[in-house]
Amino acid sequence: MRQKRYFLPESEIPTQWYNIQADMPNKPQPMLNPATREPVTEDELSELFSRECSRQELNTTDRWIDIPQEVLEKYTYYRSTPLVRAYGLEEALGTPAHIFFKNESVSPVGSHKLNSALPQAYYCKMEGVTNVTTETGAGQWGAALSYASKLFGLECAVYQVKVSYNQKPYRRNIMQLFGAQVTASPSMSTRAGKNILTVDPNHQGSLGTAISEAVELARMTPGCKYALGSTMSHVSLHQTIIGLEAEKQMEMAGEYPDIVIACFGGGSNFSGISFPFMRHNMLEGRTTRFIAAEPAACPKMTKGTFEYDFGDEAGYTPLIPMFSLGHNFKPANIHAGGLRYHGAGAIVSQLMKDGLMEAADVLQLECFDAGILFAKSEGIIPAPESCHAIAAVVKEALKCKETGERKTILFNLSGHGLVDMAAYDQYLTGNLVNLNV
Amino acid sequence: MRQKRYFLPESEIPTQWYNIQADMPNKPQPMLNPATREPVTEDELSELFSRECSRQELNTTDRWIDIPQEVLEKYTYYRSTPLVRAYGLEEALGTPAHIFFKNESVSPVGSHKLNSALPQAYYCKMEGVTNVTTETGAGQWGAALSYASKLFGLECAVYQVKVSYNQKPYRRNIMQLFGAQVTASPSMSTRAGKNILTVDPNHQGSLGTAISEAVELARMTPGCKYALGSTMSHVSLHQTIIGLEAEKQMEMAGEYPDIVIACFGGGSNFSGISFPFMRHNMLEGRTTRFIAAEPAACPKMTKGTFEYDFGDEAGYTPLIPMFSLGHNFKPANIHAGGLRYHGAGAIVSQLMKDGLMEAADVLQLECFDAGILFAKSEGIIPAPESCHAIAAVVKEALKCKETGERKTILFNLSGHGLVDMAAYDQYLTGNLVNLNV
């Protein structure tokens, strides 16, 4: 019988993350202190983030970074995640392409986000931090950090984008179950939130507003650090566990990807699945294509500009060299809350600039079309975010059908959609529409 | 590093189910035709069920039944499920016991129910059936049959217990996403439903009412068969894949269970994890204990009587020899919808009568206490049904802590609770109460 899923034995789970900065032909430009316009230092970063994450953020030389033993042990709660051959989807499309996906939805909190939440919480704990705070969109990152904080004995406060807070009560419940304090953003609990609500009392929030509030809380609270779920280079680093596992698993399947696809918000799951394969493009002349699938309603990579911009609405963060739609960009209320972010991380922005990756934008209805086809053929209901990747996969697989090419496509299923059923219900009842910029 | 999870390679997934009827010291008493009081025949059963399931139902001689190749292939979409060592829970309890669980929540629909939905849908398809119908409580079984029907090209109609239909819209959405038609029971679409609503217009439904409606629809519709998610012997047969895998995986872990625990509605997940181990008690004198954990609000095993009773509210089914609270028993609206059933299957009832298994009943708050402890220590939010098993595990593990015994406890995590977050929200906000008979 043909093999459907590939697992690594626990002894084969990678023990180091891959730091792509060491291999990039052009290093990412430095983040700048907005006051001085000088590159931010490790000391400055560590006012906000843990010391170790600040160090990793600026590490452009070490190719491999050890995963702490305590984090590795927690990884075994759900890792290796399966690499799955999508026979069902291939048959539904009638494509000669071989489609594989890495199923990150099997993590305790239902998405890849835990891969970075665990080390971030661990480093905080080791450095004597007692409280962490963060922002969350759909709630995937918030749930991950809530759980990781619980495991390592930290208090956790989450600012959740208001539209998601109201649309997705179950995700809020999950965070609360893990002991986190959850506040809808913009809120009246911070100066940044108050300023936003003064201008627009009905502001539905964005990742930009929630980041401002979380950063402000971290700055004002002794013993409190901020943890970010995407965009930053250290987050991408932690996520490479996905691609490093996939590399070994693809080898078990006897294949190598011609195309790697992931959805794209700030870049963390895209980086995670792509970077380990991209190193073979950079170092050995492989020609794999890497496609970031982003929402047409928030198309920073296909329609944004490369510039220095803030990571948040209020301008509290360093200036980041990024493809951006502007830090005051208000994305439409699409259901993929995790992709409603105005900018891309420094590394992926540089890779995009250097032509080492591509981007494609996808409309909401096309995403759900693809997601439902996937659910019916593979049995897993994907997160609205992941539907973007699937839509891009379907497009490439149908091209193969036209040309008869037997390409190998690998994508990252970043999360499941079991807590996003209201979005599917809207789609099924004909109440979902396309939203553009 | 200590090993956390055990998987079987696909080549090691069992290719036969285990039929405990062949090994029982006393065979289950026959089901009776209520009109004639004669044992029901395969022909009579197959008016309602597929021919192959009817045959399996009455098979008391063949110890092993082949799993069809097409079903085995679909099993690989999620099987083997992991056997997990619950180090986190052990540490939280401070027990010397070794706790293992079989994680059936990783199936596409989030529970063990797919193990039987797949063969039932497959046999229907092979026999030329075009439509299937069923009942569902919390929606786990309905979701499983909806998905299996989609895979094998059948139309599917589900009667969902009204209280769950309203409490858990996401489960309904999942069934609808897989193309099923979902109706809240009792409904006006059947004679049985009309009769119930005439007596009590506010009847919130039970598995008993929903079964009556589904059975009536199957009887009135050409080309339509009925599929049941628990209670019947052929369902227990299909579920033995859980225990057969667990047997091999426990061997990989170098242990054998002293106690096996599962939650108990009609008996399907309990049978699945228990029967393969129970055969070693029956044939080789092993002394493993088997504990069925049922809700105090629906305690058929601990407080019911062994008698011939109907499987449904209206009296459409054969008379079944079962521990029962009476087929008109109205269980309180606990959140574990899948356990709100008045009777136990014929096999488990006989095993209970013969002292080959035990039962324990658990109050709702104790269940959620245990479930939240499990979520915080193992990272998986359990279904309210599965919380009953966990509560029983906690009790046994704490006994070990008192006595210092290092027992090996195995339980079945029948499903996850991500679609049951409203129940957790009630608990967390102090609005959940104990409900008794």
Side-chain angles (χ1 to χ4, degrees):
Chain A
M1 197 162 53
R2 62 194 190 176
Q3 189 159 354
K4 175 75 179 164
R5 300 190 303 160
Y6 300 85
F7 287 95
L8 298 177
E10 287 179 12
S11 57
E12 286 289 315
I13 296 176
T15 57
Q16 297 181 308
W17 295 300
Y18 170 60
N19 179 17
I20 196 172
Q21 297 193 71
D23 290 329
M24 289 169 70
N26 298 305
K27 307 281 180 201
Q29 294 176 32
M31 290 185 288
L32 302 180
N33 179 324
T36 62
R37 286 263 159 186
E38 290 295 314
V40 293
T41 63
E42 187 188 306
D43 282 347
E44 285 170 334
L45 277 177
S46 64
E47 286 169 22
L48 205 52
F49 300 101
S50 68
R51 171 65 61 174
E52 182 56 31
C53 286
S54 305
R55 196 173 292 139
Q56 291 172 356
E57 187 66 25
L58 300 179
N59 185 334
T60 59
T61 49
D62 300 315
R63 182 180 287 161
W64 300 104
I65 309 279
D66 285 342
I67 304 174
Q69 191 64 25
E70 291 79 355
V71 172
L72 270 178
E73 196 203 304
K74 297 307 178 194
Y75 273 175
T76 64
Y77 276 48
Y78 63 103
R79 307 208 70 87
S80 68
T81 63
L83 175 79
V84 189
R85 175 77 184 271
Y87 293 116
L89 182 62
E90 289 173 21
E91 281 156 22
L93 293 169
T95 177
H98 290 195
I99 304 175
F100 291 83
F101 62 94
K102 186 74 170 152
N103 185 1
E104 291 292 308
S105 81
V106 300
S107 100
V109 294
S111 83
H112 71 289
K113 293 290 186 188
L114 199 53
N115 300 332
S116 185
L118 286 170
Q120 290 197 55
Y122 170 74
Y123 292 132
C124 282
K125 184 68 183 176
M126 286 302 100
E127 295 169 18
V129 172
T130 55
N131 291 58
V132 289
T133 178
T134 194
E135 81 299 330
T136 197
Q140 300 271 28
W141 167 246
L145 192 67
S146 301
Y147 175 60
S149 299
K150 171 55 62 183
L151 280 187
F152 290 114
L154 302 166
E155 294 295 319
C156 180
V158 181
Y159 287 92
Q160 184 172 22
V161 177
K162 194 172 279 174
V163 60
S164 295
Y165 183 93
N166 292 321
Q167 262 178 3
K168 305 183 178 187
Y170 281 17
R171 278 260 165 63
R172 167 166 44 87
N173 297 155
I174 291 171
M175 292 185 264
Q176 289 165 333
L177 189 157
F178 289 128
Q181 184 193 317
V182 188
T183 308
S185 171
S187 77
M188 296 298 281
S189 73
T190 63
R191 194 165 53 82
K194 278 179 202 158
N195 288 346
I196 295 163
L197 288 171
T198 304
V199 176
D200 177 1
N202 294 316
H203 198 299
Q204 288 302 296
S206 67
L207 285 170
T209 69
I211 293 175
S212 293
E213 294 203 87
V215 167
E216 185 179 325
L217 182 71
R219 288 205 192 278
M220 308 300 280
T221 314
C224 181
K225 293 287 178 189
Y226 172 63
L228 194 53
S230 191
T231 313
M232 303 291 282
S233 300
H234 64 272
V235 181
S236 293
L237 172 74
H238 304 154
Q239 293 295 350
T240 59
I241 187 82
I242 303 172
L244 292 167
E245 283 183 1
E247 216 186 325
K248 293 188 181 194
Q249 291 165 310
M250 289 296 292
E251 208 177 308
M252 288 164 76
E255 307 220 21
Y256 191 90
D258 299 302
I259 308 175
V260 175
I261 296 175
C263 66
F264 196 94
S268 83
N269 95 93
F270 175 84
S271 303
I273 187 120
S274 296
F275 288 178
F277 292 101
M278 208 179 276
R279 88 177 189 274
H280 301 299
N281 275 25
M282 294 185 302
L283 304 180
E284 298 143 33
R286 286 264 193 186
T287 57
T288 299
R289 290 172 57 205
F290 299 91
I291 305 175
E294 56 180 10
C298 197
K300 73 219 71 161
M301 288 297 238
T302 58
K303 302 206 174 58
T305 49
F306 184 84
E307 61 187 345
Y308 268 101
D309 196 6
F310 289 106
D312 70 320
E313 178 98 5
Y316 286 163
T317 69
L319 286 164
I320 307 171
M322 46 158 60
F323 275 91
S324 174
L325 295 159
H327 67 279
N328 296 123
F329 177 77
K330 258 195 228 168
N333 289 341
I334 54 168
H335 279 278
L339 308 184
R340 296 175 70 246
Y341 185 63
H342 67 278
I347 295 178
V348 280
S349 291
Q350 188 63 46
L351 294 170
M352 185 73 186
K353 199 157 161 262
D354 290 342
L356 289 158
M357 56 173 282
E358 313 162 36
D361 51 55
V362 193
L363 285 163
Q364 180 154 269
L365 287 174
E366 195 182 347
C367 288
F368 279 87
D369 284 341
I372 286 179
L373 180 69
F374 181 77
K376 287 182 176 171
S377 53
E378 293 292 328
I380 303 167
I381 300 175
E385 290 82 4
S386 312
C387 289
H388 289 74
I390 300 170
V393 169
V394 166
K395 216 173 270 180
E396 293 297 328
L398 290 179
K399 274 190 217 160
C400 289
K401 187 178 180 178
E402 267 179 40
T403 61
E405 284 175 293
R406 209 240 65 192
K407 285 189 179 159
T408 298
I409 304 172
L410 168 66
F411 76 94
N412 194 41
L413 184 76
S414 57
H416 64 64
L418 291 175
V419 189
D420 306 280
M421 292 310 299
Y424 282 96
D425 190 41
Q426 276 195 17
Y427 175 93
L428 291 169
T429 53
N431 293 315
L432 204 68
V433 295
N434 278 329
L435 293 166
N436 234 305
V437 276
Chain B
M1 198 164 49
R2 61 194 190 177
Q3 188 159 354
K4 175 76 179 164
R5 300 189 304 159
Y6 300 84
F7 287 95
L8 298 177
E10 287 180 12
S11 58
E12 286 289 315
I13 295 176
T15 57
Q16 297 181 309
W17 295 300
Y18 169 59
N19 180 16
I20 197 174
Q21 296 193 71
D23 290 330
M24 289 168 70
N26 297 305
K27 307 282 181 202
Q29 293 176 34
M31 289 186 289
L32 302 180
N33 179 324
T36 63
R37 287 263 159 184
E38 290 295 315
V40 292
T41 63
E42 186 187 308
D43 283 348
E44 284 170 335
L45 278 176
S46 65
E47 286 170 21
L48 205 52
F49 299 100
S50 68
R51 171 64 63 172
E52 183 56 31
C53 286
S54 306
R55 196 174 291 139
Q56 290 172 355
E57 187 67 26
L58 301 179
N59 186 335
T60 58
T61 49
D62 299 317
R63 181 179 289 161
W64 299 103
I65 309 279
D66 285 343
I67 305 174
Q69 190 64 26
E70 290 80 355
V71 172
L72 269 179
E73 197 202 304
K74 297 306 177 193
Y75 273 174
T76 64
Y77 276 49
Y78 64 103
R79 310 209 68 88
S80 66
T81 62
L83 175 79
V84 189
R85 175 76 184 272
Y87 293 114
L89 182 61
E90 289 173 21
E91 281 156 22
L93 294 171
T95 177
H98 290 195
I99 304 175
F100 290 84
F101 63 94
K102 186 74 170 153
N103 185 359
E104 291 292 309
S105 81
V106 299
S107 101
V109 294
S111 83
H112 71 291
K113 292 291 188 188
L114 199 53
N115 300 333
S116 184
L118 286 170
Q120 289 197 55
Y122 170 74
Y123 292 133
C124 281
K125 184 66 182 178
M126 286 302 101
E127 295 169 19
V129 172
T130 56
N131 290 58
V132 290
T133 178
T134 195
E135 81 298 329
T136 198
Q140 300 271 30
W141 167 245
L145 192 68
S146 301
Y147 174 59
S149 298
K150 171 55 61 185
L151 280 187
F152 290 114
L154 301 167
E155 295 295 320
C156 179
V158 180
Y159 286 93
Q160 184 173 21
V161 177
K162 194 171 280 174
V163 60
S164 295
Y165 183 94
N166 291 322
Q167 262 178 2
K168 305 185 177 185
Y170 281 17
R171 279 260 164 63
R172 166 164 45 87
N173 296 155
I174 292 171
M175 293 185 261
Q176 289 164 335
L177 189 157
F178 288 128
Q181 185 196 314
V182 187
T183 308
S185 173
S187 78
M188 296 299 281
S189 74
T190 62
R191 193 165 54 83
K194 277 179 204 159
N195 288 346
I196 294 164
L197 289 172
T198 304
V199 176
D200 178 3
N202 294 317
H203 199 298
Q204 288 303 296
S206 68
L207 285 169
T209 69
I211 293 175
S212 293
E213 294 204 86
V215 166
E216 185 179 324
L217 182 72
R219 288 206 192 279
M220 308 299 281
T221 314
C224 181
K225 293 286 179 189
Y226 172 63
L228 195 53
S230 190
T231 313
M232 302 291 283
S233 300
H234 64 272
V235 181
S236 292
L237 172 74
H238 304 154
Q239 293 295 351
T240 60
I241 187 82
I242 303 172
L244 292 167
E245 284 183 1
E247 216 187 323
K248 292 187 181 194
Q249 290 164 311
M250 289 296 293
E251 207 178 309
M252 289 164 77
E255 306 220 21
Y256 191 90
D258 298 303
I259 307 175
V260 176
I261 296 174
C263 66
F264 196 94
S268 82
N269 96 92
F270 173 84
S271 304
I273 187 119
S274 296
F275 289 179
F277 291 101
M278 209 181 276
R279 85 177 191 276
H280 300 300
N281 275 23
M282 294 186 302
L283 303 180
E284 297 143 33
R286 286 262 193 189
T287 57
T288 299
R289 289 172 58 204
F290 299 92
I291 305 175
E294 56 180 10
C298 197
K300 72 218 71 160
M301 289 298 237
T302 57
K303 301 206 174 58
T305 50
F306 185 82
E307 61 186 345
Y308 268 103
D309 195 6
F310 290 107
D312 70 320
E313 177 99 5
Y316 286 164
T317 69
L319 286 164
I320 306 171
M322 47 159 57
F323 275 89
S324 174
L325 295 159
H327 67 279
N328 296 123
F329 177 77
K330 260 194 229 169
N333 288 344
I334 55 168
H335 279 279
L339 308 184
R340 296 176 69 246
Y341 185 62
H342 67 279
I347 294 178
V348 278
S349 291
Q350 187 64 45
L351 294 169
M352 186 73 186
K353 202 160 159 256
D354 290 342
L356 288 158
M357 56 173 282
E358 314 161 36
D361 51 54
V362 193
L363 284 164
Q364 180 154 269
L365 287 174
E366 195 184 347
C367 288
F368 279 87
D369 284 341
I372 286 178
L373 180 69
F374 181 78
K376 287 181 175 171
S377 53
E378 292 293 327
I380 304 166
I381 299 176
E385 290 81 4
S386 311
C387 288
H388 289 75
I390 299 170
V393 168
V394 167
K395 214 173 273 181
E396 294 296 328
L398 289 179
K399 273 189 219 163
C400 289
K401 188 177 179 178
E402 266 179 43
T403 62
E405 284 174 293
R406 208 240 67 193
K407 286 188 178 158
T408 299
I409 303 172
L410 168 67
F411 77 94
N412 194 41
L413 185 76
S414 56
H416 64 63
L418 291 174
V419 189
D420 305 281
M421 291 311 298
Y424 282 96
D425 191 40
Q426 275 197 16
Y427 175 92
L428 292 169
T429 52
N431 293 314
L432 204 68
V433 293
N434 278 329
L435 293 166
N436 234 305
V437 278

